[in-house]
Amino acid sequence: MDTPSQLLQLLFTGLTLGSIYALIGLALVTTFNITGILNLAQGEFVTIGALLAISLYATGLPLAAAFIIAVLLVAALGGVLERCAIQTARQASALTLIIITLGLSIFLRGLALLVWGTETYSLPAFSEGGPLFIGGAAITPQSFWIFGLTALTLAGLYAFFELTYWGKAVKAAVLNRTAARLMGINPNRLSLLAFLASGALGAAAGIFIAPVTMTTYDMGFMLGVKGFVAAVIGGLNNIGGAVLGGILLGILESFSAGLISSGLKDAFAIIILIGVLLVRPQGIIGSLKERKI
Amino acid sequence: MLLSIKSLNVYHGYVQALRNLDLDVKKGELLAILGANGAGKSTLLETLAGLHRPAQGEVMLEGKPITGKSPDYIVKHGISLVPERREIFNSLSVLDNLLLGAFHRYRSNKGTLSDDVAEIIDIFPALKGREREPAGTLSGGLQQMLAIGRGLMARPKILLLDEPSVGLAPMVVKEIMSTLAQLKNSGVTIILVEQNTGAALKVADRGFVMERGHITLGGTSQDILSDSKVQQAYLGRKRMQTAAAL
Ligand SMILES: Nc1ncnc2c1ncn2[C@@H]1O[C@H](COP(=O)(O)OP(=O)(O)O)[C@@H](O)[C@H]1O
Ligand SMILES: [Mg+2]
């Protein structure tokens, strides 16, 4: 029954899923490298971005306006949380700071539950028209939007880090924090910047997937885990790696769900995570220990 | 007085690294600070650069207090540290390292930074042609020159150098010391921490010996060179005596 077109369909689904994980992984890796913090509330930025845009759209705003406002609001939320929860505990260990982000994630999920309840929400697709058929397999236009956002984000981050002076300054702070401080680079400001950017990126990802997923107050948790696994596969320190990791995970999930059992979908991320922790724990734990915001 | 340090006390956790340290620096001077490992020399420079917050005491730059200010404030106001072990950005290019040295004035001086880089390359011609290479691939001597060049890109009034001669061949040390002398003549005030006592005192106007967190001896380079304790402990004369006897 596994005809080539069915396999191709699984591949396309996997690529779409993988692009979403890649986006979340990108946000995690960028924040991690700049601040040394693994932001466990990243998935909640995705949820809240999507839910805000959905509510704004429901008030009659055009989709584009709802998108922009929701992205800005979640960026601001990221900034406020960084100032209130991270900056005030700056002297604490990286592990403590990560636990703080876990607390933030629970807090934001609770907030989303209060505001939006347990219902499922959705947005219309960004562009009209039916799916595109390639080799008998369908790709929805929304998938292209998602690929586009991932490609744009990757290109934007690459251009920022490789081509701009400010990007070099951020890289310098990642390479050698003390030396960067001596140049006058203020890592606390970079930390704020990282949270603003990861708020915006998370929200954008959430809004782009809202037409193809069930948006609920608690969807962020699993997305955060998947993004984390994508980042871990990529080595946690490289943006290209996070994208590859995300796409690999998406494809693995799609094939295991399609060919073996749909119950395996989420298990895969956890299995990979445990595998990486067993084989190469220093990849995660080591970098946690040596870096401090 | 360009820089005035009054009864400075600095701790690393429970370890007191500076004890009631006093030091005055005149404009245009080249000071050498000498002392054994653990005397507190690096702590002194790092505190001046804003990396440590003093528990007590005062640092005044041109009569204004800068005590406990952050490194970005201090570099903006004219003190630049070339840290121990150079701490260059290994995977960034030589050019990017130099450009980042000017971070605090990037916004206002964007247009002239490439001229400033050319000026640094004139000071250290050995860096010429290596601008695009990752800084980590340079030899130790070139990395030190790059670190000094990066420090100069901040356009400091006071340049602090922490053991620039460590691990370098005598020829390279000589070259770096003569560059420091030239910089001094061009008007930069320099505080040079060195374990290479001979090389440092050759270019310095005044020298200070630090022990256990404060200055135990100070004077013109001639005075310091002829001090018998310094000769025993730091210049390798009368070898049977150890630094501990100082
Ligand atoms: N980060 C630190 N934590 C704890 N103690 C430190 C730290 N840095 C320096 N010290 C201690 O402070 C004292 C002065 O060190 P330092 O300033 O590096 O001396 P020097 O540069 O003269 O070798 C030493 O006793 C050293 O062990
Ligand atoms: Mg030292």
Side-chain angles (χ1 to χ4, degrees):
Chain A
M1 70 166 269
D2 305 330
T3 65
S5 69
Q6 276 172 319
L7 293 177
L8 201 57
Q9 185 66 61
L10 291 177
L11 180 67
F12 291 158
T13 309
L15 282 174
T16 310
L17 272 175
S19 298
I20 299 164
Y21 303 156
L23 276 171
I24 299 166
L26 279 175
L28 283 172
V29 166
T30 309
T31 316
F32 180 71
N33 281 296
I34 295 176
T35 63
I37 298 174
L38 209 51
N39 177 16
L40 297 180
Q42 185 62 47
E44 272 60 44
F45 291 163
V46 178
T47 313
I48 292 187
L51 289 170
L52 270 175
I54 288 166
S55 293
L56 288 163
Y57 181 68
T59 67
L61 277 177
L63 194 55
F67 172 81
I68 292 169
I69 296 171
V71 165
L72 290 178
L73 284 175
V74 179
L77 176 70
V80 169
L81 293 180
E82 196 274 345
R83 286 291 107 157
C84 298
I86 306 289
Q87 224 28 257
T88 47
R90 219 176 61 235
Q91 301 305 327
S93 70
L95 197 59
T96 309
L97 291 166
I98 289 169
I99 292 168
I100 290 177
T101 70
L102 179 63
L104 288 177
S105 127
I106 296 168
F107 162 72
L108 291 176
R109 216 174 311 143
L111 196 69
L113 177 62
L114 279 177
V115 177
W116 286 281
T118 54
E119 283 130 84
T120 302
Y121 297 84
S122 180
L123 272 180
F126 290 5
S127 48
E128 321 232 310
L132 187 73
F133 288 91
I134 299 174
I139 315 181
T140 64
Q142 194 63 31
S143 289
F144 286 107
W145 282 98
I146 294 169
F147 299 153
L149 179 66
T150 307
L152 197 71
T153 305
L154 186 60
L157 285 173
Y158 183 82
F160 175 70
F161 283 115
E162 298 304 320
L163 306 177
T164 72
Y165 188 79
W166 302 107
K168 300 267 171 62
V170 176
K171 260 175 112 171
V174 171
L175 288 169
N176 189 329
R177 188 171 187 272
T178 304
R181 291 179 70 200
L182 290 173
M183 309 294 104
I185 298 166
N186 183 340
N188 297 337
R189 250 182 241 161
L190 298 187
S191 164
L192 176 64
L193 196 75
F195 275 82
L196 288 171
S198 57
L201 190 55
I207 300 166
F208 271 60
I209 65 173
V212 292
T213 47
M214 313 272 197
T215 306
T216 53
Y217 79 97
D218 62 351
M219 72 166 180
F221 175 71
M222 220 44 215
L223 285 173
V225 170
K226 306 279 174 72
F228 176 57
V229 171
V232 166
I233 295 173
L236 265 184
N237 57 5
N238 128 19
I239 54 177
V243 170
L244 285 181
I247 287 174
L248 191 69
L249 178 64
I251 292 174
L252 272 173
E253 272 191 22
S254 164
F255 276 88
S256 59
L259 300 177
I260 308 169
S261 155
S262 60
L264 274 180
K265 190 172 167 278
D266 287 344
F268 237 93
I270 308 294
I271 291 168
I272 293 176
L273 185 57
I274 292 172
V276 172
L277 282 170
L278 286 177
V279 178
R280 227 186 53 120
Q282 71 279 13
I284 305 164
I285 310 299
S287 37
L288 284 188
K289 270 200 200 131
E290 77 195 34
R291 293 202 33 88
K292 243 184 106 176
I293 167 180
Chain B
M1 212 54 73
L2 179 59
L3 185 75
S4 165
I5 302 165
K6 286 205 179 65
S7 48
L8 200 61
N9 286 276
V10 176
Y11 293 79
H12 297 292
Y14 295 109
V15 180
Q16 184 166 14
L18 298 183
R19 298 164 197 271
N20 292 319
L21 185 138
D22 295 298
L23 182 68
D24 282 327
V25 184
K26 291 195 269 296
K27 195 169 168 348
E29 273 191 306
L30 199 171
L31 296 190
I33 295 184
L34 316 165
N37 265 330
K41 307 179 298 296
S42 297
T43 303
L44 172 60
L45 295 194
E46 287 161 8
T47 305
L48 294 178
L51 292 175
H52 309 299
R53 193 183 284 272
Q56 287 116 36
E58 199 174 42
V59 182
M60 310 275 272
L61 176 65
E62 296 177 313
K64 289 189 212 89
I66 57 164
T67 327
K69 297 281 192 200
S70 61
D72 50 324
Y73 179 94
I74 285 178
V75 74
K76 207 174 288 171
H77 286 77
I79 299 182
S80 172
L81 169 62
V82 181
E84 203 169 14
R85 287 180 294 276
R86 320 185 198 20
E87 310 285 354
I88 57 169
F89 304 117
N90 280 314
S91 60
L92 297 184
S93 70
V94 169
L95 179 64
D96 286 338
N97 269 272
L98 290 174
L99 290 172
L100 286 169
F103 182 84
H104 77 88
R105 58 192 186 91
Y106 177 74
R107 227 184 286 225
S108 45
N109 298 46
K110 225 179 292 188
T112 55
L113 288 191
S114 47
D115 297 342
D116 297 343
V117 168
E119 214 173 287
I120 300 294
I121 305 274
D122 278 345
I123 297 175
F124 298 110
L127 290 174
K128 203 177 182 77
R130 314 287 300 264
E131 292 92 334
R132 303 277 159 196
E133 291 176 30
T137 63
L138 299 180
S139 67
L142 287 188
Q143 288 192 16
Q144 188 60 58
M145 294 176 195
L146 175 61
I148 299 173
R150 185 183 65 177
L152 286 171
M153 283 294 286
R155 291 260 153 123
K157 294 172 190 145
I158 306 178
L159 186 67
L160 312 175
L161 297 119
D162 199 346
E163 304 203 22
S165 78
V166 164
L168 303 183
M171 282 302 294
V172 183
V173 174
K174 219 170 156 187
E175 193 180 334
I176 287 177
M177 292 301 160
S178 81
T179 306
L180 295 183
Q182 283 168 32
L183 285 171
K184 178 202 120 126
N185 289 334
S186 72
V188 186
T189 306
I190 296 174
I191 302 180
L192 169 64
V193 160
E194 262 303 341
Q195 301 236 16
N196 190 336
T197 306
L201 287 177
K202 224 172 266 172
V203 293
D205 300 308
R206 290 195 291 156
F208 294 88
V209 174
M210 263 183 89
E211 275 176 84
R212 278 176 255 102
H214 59 244
I215 288 169
T216 50
L217 182 69
T220 65
S221 291
Q222 265 317 313
D223 294 344
I224 303 290
L225 269 173
S226 54
D227 187 277
S228 62
K229 284 190 209 151
V230 170
Q231 290 190 350
Q232 287 165 22
Y234 300 114
L235 292 170
R237 289 166 210 166
K238 295 195 192 167
R239 288 242 165 81
M240 49 263 262
Q241 312 260 357
T242 64
L246 193 96

